[in-house]
Amino acid sequence: MEKSCTLLVHFDKGTPAIANEIREALEGNDVPAKIDAMKKAVMLLLNGETLPQLFITIVRYVLPSEDHTIQKLLLLYLEIIDKTDAKGRVLPEMILICQNLRNNLQHPNEYIRGVTLRFLCRLNETEIIEPLIPSVLQNLEHRHPFIRRNAILAVMSIYKLPHGEQLLVDAPEMIEKVLSTEQDQSAKRNAFLMLFTCAQDHAVNYLLTHVDRVLEWGELLQMVVLELIRKVCRTNRREKGKYIKIIISLLNAPSTAVVFECAGTLVSLSSAPTAIRAAANTYCQLLLSQSDHNVKLIVLDQLNELKSSHRDIMVDLIMDVLRAISSPNLDIRRKTLDIVLELITPRNINEVILTLKKEVVKTQGGELEKNGEYRQILIQAIHSCAIKFPEVASTVVHMLMDFLGDSNVGSAVDVVIFVREIIETNPKLRVSIITRLLDTFYQIRAARVCSCALWIIGEYCLSLSEVESGIATIKQCLGELPFYSVSEEGEDTDSSKKAQQVNSIAVSSRRPAVLSDGTYATQSAASETAFSPPTLVQGSLASGNLRSLLLTGDFFLGAVVACTLTKLILRLEEVQPSKVEVNKASSQALLIMVSMLQLGQSLVLQHPIDNDSYDRIILCIRLLCNTCDEIRKIWLQSCRQSFVKMLSEKQLQETEEIKAKAQISHAQPDDLIDFYHLKSRKGMSQLELEDEVQDDLKRATGEFIKEGDDANKLNRILQLTGFSDPVYAEAYVTVHHYDIVLDVTVINRTKETLQNLCLELATMGDLKLVDRPQNYTLAPESSKQIKANIKVSSTETGVIFGNIVYETSNVHERTVVVLNDIHVDIMDYISPAVCSDSAFRTMWAEFEWENKVAVNTVIQEEKEFLDHIIKSTNMKCLTAPSALDGECGFLAANLYAKSVFGEDALVNVSIEKQADGKLSGYIRIRSKTQGIALSLGDKITLKQKGGS
């Protein structure tokens, strides 16, 4: 049996103490032994033991003790023992402790008085408390503040009892009098809290009477004042004008906790621009003044919410928010930049870009551990700014190109992708970008960056000088040919011919040789030629990055080099009038390609060239040997057209996402129209007038309308019992982040009164019940709304099950009605999200949990099946729509979602249409935790056949 108590102590009942041993220790005079025995008694009681025989012993030997620890343990013991019988009447022996409690309330020691008063706050038995009330009231005027503050809490607890108002009729007036004379801040806070809780009108009158002195009150009392204001304004919104003045005055309080609460209260109560601006300024000041990283993150969350609802006001504070990137914490910097990027306008873009440029420069000189990661975030932010406002691209692109050779590959990749996009969207910058790229190309050390940079060179080198410079740069970075040598003396010889010569000499000429141990051995004459196995030629120090990357076996990069050279030669044919120069450049390009093929097919490298790269290089060789106009058009025009199409689709997708985020709300045709200009403005401050205008605007646009309609609510109702059961029950399930609320409607369908009706629930999985079940009495054919709260700790699929138990007057046995199970759906916890392709690939490689589901469906169209999976899993398709167009018999797409717990869910759909028209393939799910992978897999398995 669980006992309600304020003390929760773990106790191993493997070897429980015997009641006789505890009694003997309590009857002795050894204080430490008594303390140990009392602890054991309390722990056993907390774990379900009753120990009725100890009560008299404790009354006789423990009550008279003067030891403070024993007295504290005694109060804990008295708190958890049963003080009433089965009918709810107080046990007669409880009278024995009343005199002891009265003595404690008059004890000369302040600690004994204080803890006894605190103990009374947890007593619910009126018969025990009533004789103690005079002693409690005497302590309201005690000289020590510790006693006074606990006496006030005791009065509040007594007044809140079912018949407390009869026990303490004039308690609010008494506490108000104490509040006016009290000097201790904690006692004043407790007194005001008592008025706020039990007599709100008295609290409001006291606040309005001393409104000019609110700023002088202590932090604890000011926090309760804010709580009172929130409660009053929610019940009566028309009176919030006079309270908002108090809140604005508290924004100047010395306590940062009070200031933070003031800003939050302002935002929740008022939509007036003046109030929102004051709250935003307060958050910005806290953001800069507080050193604790957690505080900064909380304040940034508040600013992010303000940005969503009051963007126009936040735009003016963008530079104040941006100062938060001075923090060394990467999470704070990332969240700050996310907020700033959504507040950029043509008016502030130049200031923001200037600040970001300074931060990028700082990352070069610093030795901080995460400088590279921070630089990558900054580059992505600048990229986003330049896409929104192309006119600022010219001020940042050349500076960022210095980071093409950054040791942090992520930063370099972001820079080169940014350059690729800017050179297409800003034609005026093409010449300067190409010139700078050719000058800095040798600094690039990452293969991915080299590939993208080579594509830019091949597509955007248009003039004769640019094409020639591009070819020369690639040749310089490749170094001298060949890439490997088979001669020790450095002579370039053909390996196959040399091998034939070696074999013929070995057959024709053999002679004995004397070995080191004196024996004879046959030696080939070929050994005298000093033939050595092939070795790589690393090239001189001037040889560049392409050569070193090729010699590591990166032949995909080699294929990119071949394609770039092919494009440059084809363009050279158009801009170079001299055929001799064209043929010379073409022959040099062919020599480079053949050398790469030889390197890939030699035994020098551990891994030979892959088939795709080999075919690509061969295609380039054939193209240079024999070209036609159609092929030239494909290579020189179609590639860039595809890139332009990709950019336009990306921009269109971003625009659609922004529109989807925008709140679409409409007013109902029969809503009340409130004419602001016809209202009386007497006694209204400017803030109240602004608030009225904002409320009218929200009402006109339908912002006050709650999300979701009754039809959606009806769809979420679950039937728990059958129509023929004596008790009918159905539940409406609401999921909000970490909480599940079950709103259960119970209907008595019989002609009898149901007594002690209890809704008993249990859970399976990572679900936890919060509330204890209560008993109800249900009249014939009446209904009752019962709410149950459940906490969720992960996305694993959970089950809620239980029954309804009740008694009737005719039948003494309890009747049990078993309820249908409620399955907690993972779809309630995940929502579609967006991430970049590189981030998706990184997470896919890092996540260890994978669930592979085979495709088994009656759907015969690839796109239709993908749409069905997206709808069933509530995920976002990251693959561009253009990549999914067409009929080719197969389809691959990436899906992404995030859970409310911050978990990432990755899904890859790979399907193929078979000859019989059926779809086959696999759906692979990856996540960092096992729960989300298994739950999503179960959901897909259940839904993929095309069911609802």
Side-chain angles (χ1 to χ4, degrees):
M1 292 175 60
E2 291 187 11
K3 302 285 185 179
S4 59
C5 178
T6 56
L7 177 71
L8 294 177
V9 181
H10 170 73
F11 184 66
D12 186 4
K13 295 206 305 181
T15 56
I18 301 174
N20 293 332
E21 294 179 3
I22 296 176
R23 186 188 303 111
E24 290 175 5
L26 293 176
E27 291 174 354
N29 296 322
D30 187 4
V31 173
K34 271 190 178 182
I35 292 173
D36 189 51
M38 283 297 295
K39 287 181 179 179
K40 288 179 180 177
V42 169
M43 291 178 182
L44 285 170
L45 285 167
L46 286 173
N47 282 272
E49 303 291 335
T50 54
L51 304 179
Q53 65 271 32
L54 285 182
F55 182 77
I56 299 299
T57 304
I58 288 175
V59 170
R60 290 182 59 191
Y61 296 99
V62 179
L63 281 183
S65 175
E66 293 291 329
D67 186 79
H68 290 180
T69 306
I70 291 178
Q71 286 295 323
K72 181 68 175 176
L73 289 169
L74 171 65
L75 293 176
L76 291 173
Y77 169 80
L78 293 176
E79 183 180 342
I80 58 177
I81 61 172
D82 291 325
K83 301 177 224 14
T84 57
D85 57 16
K87 296 182 178 179
R89 293 176 297 196
V90 175
L91 296 172
E93 55 264 31
M94 288 298 112
I95 304 301
L96 296 172
I97 68 171
C98 283
Q99 184 61 39
N100 176 71
L101 293 174
R102 185 184 294 109
N103 293 338
N104 282 355
L105 291 174
Q106 298 170 355
H107 199 280
N109 184 274
E110 290 86 357
Y111 176 77
I112 297 294
R113 284 199 189 198
V115 295
T116 307
L117 287 166
R118 182 62 66 88
F119 165 71
L120 293 182
C121 296
R122 297 187 285 271
L123 275 185
N124 297 320
E125 289 75 25
T126 308
E127 292 86 345
I128 300 176
I129 290 175
E130 188 172 4
L132 305 175
I133 289 178
S135 300
V136 173
L137 297 179
Q138 288 177 5
N139 284 308
L140 288 173
E141 299 176 357
H142 195 275
R143 59 179 178 78
H144 201 284
F146 176 69
I147 295 175
R148 294 199 302 273
R149 69 178 72 133
N150 283 299
I152 293 169
L153 292 176
V155 169
M156 180 173 70
S157 300
I158 295 171
Y159 193 79
K160 287 166 66 177
L161 290 175
H163 302 288
E165 295 182 14
Q166 299 173 8
L167 297 175
L168 289 171
V169 179
D170 56 346
E173 291 79 6
M174 196 184 308
I175 296 298
E176 189 172 5
K177 182 180 177 182
V178 170
L179 181 59
S180 60
T181 58
E182 183 60 62
Q183 298 299 319
D184 181 68
Q185 295 297 330
S186 296
K188 287 187 75 170
R189 177 257 180 197
N190 290 350
F192 193 81
L193 180 64
M194 186 272 171
L195 293 179
F196 164 49
T197 308
C198 304
Q200 186 173 305
D201 293 340
H202 287 75
V204 170
N205 291 334
Y206 181 82
L207 173 62
L208 296 179
T209 306
H210 301 82
V211 67
D212 297 331
R213 300 180 58 189
V214 173
L215 202 57
E216 301 172 7
W217 293 348
E219 174 186 350
L220 297 174
L221 184 53
Q222 288 173 345
M223 296 289 276
V224 182
V225 166
L226 289 172
E227 193 174 344
L228 171 67
I229 291 173
R230 280 196 293 267
K231 184 176 180 181
V232 171
C233 292
R234 285 195 189 100
T235 55
N236 190 358
R237 296 185 64 87
R238 293 187 177 276
E239 293 188 3
K240 65 182 177 181
K242 52 188 176 185
Y243 295 108
I244 286 178
K245 296 175 185 176
I246 301 174
I247 300 172
I248 291 179
S249 68
L250 283 176
L251 288 175
N252 300 317
S255 168
T256 52
V258 173
V259 170
F260 178 79
E261 285 297 322
C262 279
T265 306
L266 263 182
V267 173
S268 64
L269 297 181
S270 176
S271 302
T274 305
I276 299 300
R277 192 172 289 108
N281 279 319
T282 301
Y283 284 139
C284 290
Q285 290 170 8
L286 290 173
L287 192 61
L288 298 176
S289 61
Q290 297 301 302
S291 57
D292 189 275
H293 292 165
N294 292 321
V295 173
K296 286 180 180 285
L297 289 170
I298 292 170
V299 172
L300 284 170
D301 285 336
Q302 299 298 320
L303 287 170
N304 193 32
E305 290 184 12
L306 276 184
K307 175 208 68 183
S308 303
S309 53
H310 303 281
R311 185 179 183 276
D312 294 340
I313 295 172
M314 288 298 299
V315 163
D316 298 333
L317 300 172
I318 185 171
M319 296 310 297
D320 294 328
V321 178
L322 192 55
R323 290 192 185 97
I325 61 174
S326 59
S327 170
N329 184 274
L330 205 60
D331 292 329
I332 294 174
R333 288 169 161 173
R334 185 182 286 109
K335 190 168 284 190
T336 302
L337 289 173
D338 288 343
I339 294 172
V340 166
L341 289 177
E342 295 189 29
L343 297 175
I344 293 174
T345 63
R347 286 189 303 163
N348 56 35
I349 181 64
N350 291 326
E351 288 182 276
V352 173
I353 285 293
L354 185 62
T355 305
L356 295 180
K357 284 170 63 178
K358 289 179 180 177
E359 289 296 314
V360 171
V361 173
K362 285 180 187 177
T363 60
Q364 287 180 285
E367 297 296 330
L368 295 177
E369 181 183 354
K370 294 188 176 180
N371 256 0
E373 195 173 346
Y374 177 43
R375 182 160 58 244
Q376 185 176 355
I377 295 172
L378 288 171
I379 291 168
Q380 291 171 352
I382 293 173
H383 185 181
S384 179
C385 293
I387 297 305
K388 290 180 181 177
F389 301 95
E391 62 272 11
V392 302
S394 59
T395 63
V396 293
V397 66
H398 297 297
M399 181 202 71
L400 291 182
M401 289 179 73
D402 292 335
F403 296 99
L404 285 172
D406 196 352
S407 56
N408 183 0
V409 178
S411 298
V413 170
D414 287 334
V415 169
V416 78
I417 290 174
F418 169 66
V419 171
R420 184 182 67 179
E421 197 163 337
I422 293 300
I423 199 172
E424 174 58 41
T425 56
N426 292 263
K428 295 179 181 179
L429 299 176
R430 186 193 64 79
V431 176
S432 59
I433 290 177
I434 283 294
T435 305
R436 187 66 179 271
L437 181 59
L438 293 175
D439 291 340
T440 57
F441 185 80
Y442 69 95
Q443 299 175 354
I444 302 174
R445 290 289 176 265
R448 288 174 59 193
V449 183
C450 276
S451 300
C452 193
L454 285 169
W455 185 89
I456 296 172
I457 292 171
E459 288 294 334
Y460 295 97
C461 285
L462 303 180
S463 66
L464 177 60
S465 59
E466 290 170 352
V467 172
E468 290 177 343
S469 298
I471 295 173
T473 301
I474 295 173
K475 286 174 57 180
Q476 181 183 358
C477 291
L478 286 171
E480 298 177 358
L481 301 179
F483 295 110
Y484 71 99
S485 172
V486 293
S487 174
E488 196 174 77
E489 290 80 17
E491 297 174 4
D492 295 336
T493 56
D494 185 89
S495 57
S496 59
K497 293 182 179 179
K498 195 70 177 178
Q500 291 175 2
Q501 293 175 3
V502 170
N503 292 335
S504 60
I505 295 173
V507 172
S508 60
S509 174
R510 291 179 181 270
R511 62 186 180 185
V514 182
L515 301 179
S516 58
D517 59 353
T519 59
Y520 288 95
T522 304
Q523 179 180 357
S524 169
S527 61
E528 294 183 355
T529 63
F531 174 72
S532 62
T535 57
L536 291 173
V537 179
Q538 299 294 341
S540 63
L541 294 174
S543 298
N545 44 0
L546 292 179
R547 186 184 192 93
S548 59
L549 290 170
L550 276 175
L551 295 181
T552 60
D554 191 346
F555 286 102
F556 175 77
L557 178 62
V560 175
V561 170
C563 292
T564 304
L565 285 173
T566 303
K567 290 179 182 178
L568 291 174
I569 297 301
L570 292 177
R571 190 160 282 118
L572 186 65
E573 293 177 0
E574 295 180 351
V575 298
Q576 174 61 268
S578 175
K579 296 297 182 183
V580 176
E581 294 296 329
V582 173
N583 291 336
K584 181 180 177 182
S586 180
S587 61
Q588 291 174 344
L590 287 170
L591 181 60
I592 291 171
M593 296 177 198
V594 172
S595 299
M596 286 191 292
L597 290 177
Q598 283 185 332
L599 175 66
Q601 292 177 328
S602 68
L603 302 177
V604 181
L605 302 176
Q606 291 183 350
H607 303 288
I609 186 171
D610 57 283
N611 293 333
D612 291 338
S613 300
Y614 177 84
D615 293 341
R616 190 72 170 165
I617 296 174
I618 289 293
L619 176 64
C620 293
I621 293 174
R622 290 176 177 170
L623 184 60
L624 288 181
C625 294
N626 185 15
T627 61
C628 65
D629 292 338
E630 193 64 31
I631 293 178
R632 182 179 283 106
K633 181 180 178 181
I634 292 172
W635 278 71
L636 297 183
Q637 297 179 19
S638 300
C639 189
R640 195 193 302 184
Q641 289 171 359
S642 300
F643 177 60
V644 171
K645 185 179 178 182
M646 185 192 81
L647 289 181
S648 61
E649 286 181 352
K650 179 182 175 185
Q651 190 172 3
L652 180 64
Q653 187 177 358
E654 291 175 354
T655 307
E656 289 175 353
E657 288 173 4
I658 293 173
K659 288 181 180 178
K661 287 181 181 178
Q663 185 177 8
I664 301 173
S665 52
H666 305 285
Q668 295 299 319
D670 57 347
D671 281 352
L672 175 68
I673 299 177
D674 205 350
F675 291 99
Y676 161 71
H677 293 287
L678 300 180
K679 284 184 179 178
S680 172
R681 305 187 188 183
K682 290 181 180 179
M684 295 181 71
S685 64
Q686 181 62 30
L687 189 64
E688 290 175 273
L689 291 173
E690 291 180 7
D691 217 14
E692 290 287 340
V693 175
Q694 293 299 320
D695 286 352
D696 289 345
L697 286 173
K698 287 184 176 180
R699 198 174 288 109
T701 56
E703 195 170 326
F704 284 149
I705 299 174
K706 294 182 179 179
E707 294 181 3
D709 52 10
D710 294 337
N712 289 334
K713 188 172 181 179
L714 290 173
N715 291 334
R716 299 180 67 84
I717 290 179
L718 303 174
Q719 184 179 339
L720 300 182
T721 62
F723 291 114
S724 59
D725 288 321
V727 175
Y728 175 77
E730 62 184 21
Y732 173 63
V733 184
T734 306
V735 179
H736 183 69
H737 295 309
Y738 296 87
D739 301 307
I740 298 177
V741 179
L742 295 181
D743 194 352
V744 184
T745 302
V746 180
I747 302 175
N748 180 5
R749 303 181 67 247
T750 66
K751 301 292 185 180
E752 299 178 338
T753 300
L754 305 184
Q755 300 173 346
N756 294 327
L757 184 142
C758 180
L759 174 66
E760 297 179 348
L761 296 175
T763 60
M764 186 173 64
D766 286 339
L767 306 175
K768 184 179 180 182
L769 281 167
V770 177
D771 302 328
R772 296 167 63 88
Q774 295 183 2
N775 292 335
Y776 303 94
T777 299
L778 212 56
E781 298 182 351
S782 63
S783 63
K784 180 73 178 176
Q785 298 287 125
I786 303 174
K787 285 196 174 183
N789 294 312
I790 297 169
K791 287 287 182 184
V792 187
S793 56
S794 80
T795 47
E796 289 190 22
T797 301
V799 180
I800 305 170
F801 54 93
N803 47 54
I804 292 177
V805 184
Y806 62 90
E807 300 173 352
T808 59
S809 56
N810 299 333
V811 182
H812 294 290
E813 293 184 359
R814 307 193 76 185
T815 307
V816 179
V817 178
V818 180
L819 305 179
N820 289 333
D821 295 345
I822 301 174
H823 292 268
V824 179
D825 196 349
I826 187 178
M827 295 301 102
D828 294 324
Y829 304 113
I830 67 171
S831 56
V834 179
C835 72
S836 63
D837 290 341
S838 57
F840 186 92
R841 285 193 294 269
T842 302
M843 289 188 286
W844 188 268
E846 290 176 353
F847 290 173
E848 57 185 6
W849 290 103
E850 177 175 306
N851 191 1
K852 193 173 182 180
V853 179
V855 172
N856 181 17
T857 180
V858 295
I859 301 174
Q860 296 189 349
E861 297 299 326
E862 305 96 322
K863 189 71 170 62
E864 183 185 350
F865 178 74
L866 176 64
D867 293 337
H868 178 68
I869 293 296
I870 292 172
K871 183 179 178 182
S872 303
T873 57
N874 194 27
M875 301 187 80
K876 173 76 174 177
C877 181
L878 300 181
T879 307
S882 59
L884 302 174
D885 289 342
E887 300 292 336
C888 58
F890 63 89
L891 181 147
N894 293 331
L895 313 181
Y896 179 63
K898 284 183 78 75
S899 73
V900 296
F901 310 102
E903 301 166 318
D904 299 287
L906 312 178
V907 172
N908 173 261
V909 181
S910 299
I911 49 179
E912 182 180 4
K913 197 167 188 177
Q914 300 293 329
D916 57 0
K918 293 183 178 180
L919 297 180
S920 66
Y922 291 95
I923 302 171
R924 298 166 67 194
I925 307 151
R926 286 199 184 183
S927 66
K928 189 175 287 186
T929 56
Q930 182 184 18
I932 197 168
L934 294 177
S935 300
L936 261 182
D938 295 341
K939 186 73 176 178
I940 291 173
T941 303
L942 182 67
K943 293 281 188 177
Q944 68 167 323
K945 290 189 176 182
S948 57

